[in-house]
Amino acid sequence: MKILVAEPLAAAGVELLKAQPGWDVVISNPKEYAQHLGDADALFVRSAVKVNADVLAKAPKLRVIGRAGVGVDNVDLPAATAANVLVMNTPGGNAVAVAEHTLGFMLCMARSIPQATESTKSGKWEKKKFMGSELRGKTLGILGLGYIGQEVAKRARGFEMKIVARDPFVNPKIAADLGVSLVTLDELYAQSDYITLHVGITKETNKMLNDAAFAKMKTGVRIVNCARGELIDDAALVRAIQSGKVAGASIDVFETEPPPAGDPLLAQETVLATPHIGGSTGEAQEIVGVRIVEQVVEYLQRGVAVNAVNAVAAGK
Ligand code: MLT
């Protein structure tokens, strides 16, 4: 059995793979992995490798793709299904990491920590300029109350925020237990001082934060996106920032990663940006790395599919 690891995977996960009798484990990288696809039975990726029909055509023996993380938008699921390749992910494994990054962004925006750091390091002492505001008493709107949204809610409660959420699929008891009021999208836009996105990309969510959505928000709202770049119409966000509707935005994810040089969004002073590192903590990578390996081992050894995001016919 040949196992191809195309992106960094936690050492404990790699050890577990190597411990499987008769498994040949090839550790590669996004630039070179394709040359090993020909006889690979399993492929491990994070988000850099884009698995499309061309990639799958080069891997006739492939039975399973393990995504160490949540989003599977880098894998063409219909093409994988057509090729009879099972795709698995690790929902929840990096939820705390992403939630902490979200809260970090909110605190940074409330207190202008990155801008104040830059100013102070440059020799200035701009105490008046950096008057901040508190999270306490503000309303946080969470779009998507799944694993990550729930972890965000738990932490925001610690900051004494009022929390509203929009999620048509969540069990209302989960929301109630977290002290979160479920509201409509328009109510969320109208009430929130901070809005954070924790949904996947679908027809409904693609570019959901657009001119019409920003128009419904409070003046001075702050936005956090640690989910996917496609959820925001960037040109609309720039307009909303320039008009003063949006007081700040924190962006970890981009439609094109890395974003092109001269991206107008990054030129805005009140925009904070990080390079898709929401889930990048040692702890989270250990969890998702070990978990995805355990799932793939379980599938290849015993045919048990855990956290599969597509369905395939048995027998490849
Ligand atoms: C995820 O989908 O798990 C996060 O965006 C982090 C990552 O891409 O690895």
Side-chain angles (χ1 to χ4, degrees):
M1 195 95 73
K2 180 162 157 191
I3 311 296
L4 177 54
V5 180
E7 297 192 54
L9 192 68
V14 173
E15 287 318 306
L16 190 55
L17 284 174
K18 289 183 174 164
Q20 305 305 310
W23 284 23
D24 172 20
V25 182
V26 176
I27 308 295
S28 188
N29 58 64
K31 286 203 173 114
E32 292 164 7
Y33 80 99
Q35 62 186 289
H36 304 288
L37 284 169
D39 53 352
D41 297 276
L43 172 66
F44 286 89
V45 298
R46 284 178 63 185
S47 57
V49 168
K50 311 292 172 212
V51 186
N52 54 27
D54 291 344
V55 170
L56 291 161
K58 291 182 189 140
K61 287 183 65 195
L62 197 62
R63 291 177 58 199
V64 59
I65 296 170
R67 160 70 164 108
V70 188
V72 284
D73 40 302
N74 56 321
V75 179
D76 182 336
L77 291 181
T81 306
N84 211 13
V85 176
L86 194 76
V87 181
M88 300 173 157
N89 68 350
T90 54
N94 54 22
V96 169
V98 179
E100 290 188 359
H101 201 63
T102 300
L103 267 295
F105 267 148
M106 287 165 56
L107 290 166
C108 282
M109 287 193 288
R111 308 302 300 271
S112 304
I113 293 171
Q115 295 90 340
T117 299
E118 208 179 311
S119 157
T120 308
K121 282 187 164 180
S122 75
K124 296 183 195 152
W125 192 251
E126 301 186 288
K127 209 170 154 75
K128 279 203 184 110
K129 176 175 174 184
F130 293 117
M131 175 66 71
S133 60
E134 297 180 1
L135 297 185
R136 179 181 55 171
K138 303 296 184 307
T139 298
L140 170 64
I142 303 178
L143 287 169
L145 202 58
Y147 289 107
I148 298 171
Q150 289 174 33
E151 294 298 338
V152 170
K154 284 184 208 164
R155 283 152 184 79
R157 279 186 70 177
F159 285 100
E160 300 179 44
M161 298 187 83
K162 178 178 173 212
I163 308 162
V164 297
R166 165 70 184 158
D167 188 325
F169 307 108
V170 74
N171 179 340
K173 182 168 177 345
I174 291 180
D177 288 350
L178 286 166
V180 174
S181 308
L182 290 174
V183 294
T184 66
L185 206 47
D186 282 359
E187 286 168 342
L188 185 144
Y189 290 152
Q191 293 173 19
S192 302
D193 300 292
Y194 288 79
I195 293 177
T196 184
L197 295 156
H198 300 291
V199 292
I201 313 164
T202 64
K203 265 207 307 272
E204 288 73 34
T205 63
N206 194 37
K207 305 279 182 288
M208 69 183 297
L209 295 200
N210 51 26
D211 286 314
F214 289 121
K216 292 175 186 164
M217 294 178 194
K218 274 187 176 178
T219 295
V221 64
R222 293 183 165 103
I223 308 289
V224 182
N225 188 6
C226 288
R228 284 297 178 265
E230 287 82 347
L231 301 173
I232 299 184
D233 175 343
D234 284 358
L237 176 55
V238 169
R239 283 191 285 277
I241 291 169
Q242 289 175 343
S243 73
K245 173 65 106 172
V246 169
S250 293
I251 309 292
D252 183 52
V253 285
F254 299 83
E255 196 162 353
T256 305
E257 296 188 349
D263 185 334
L265 190 57
L266 296 181
Q268 309 304 311
E269 201 197 329
T270 53
V271 168
L272 306 181
T274 49
H276 198 154
I277 53 171
S280 296
T281 63
E283 295 89 336
Q285 288 311 311
E286 176 93 8
I287 294 169
V288 298
V290 171
R291 209 176 273 176
I292 196 64
V293 167
E294 286 171 349
Q295 291 174 199
V296 168
V297 168
E298 193 66 8
Y299 182 61
L300 291 179
Q301 307 278 36
R302 281 172 281 282
V304 179
V306 177
N307 293 326
V309 295
N310 66 342
V312 298
K316 192 174 188 183

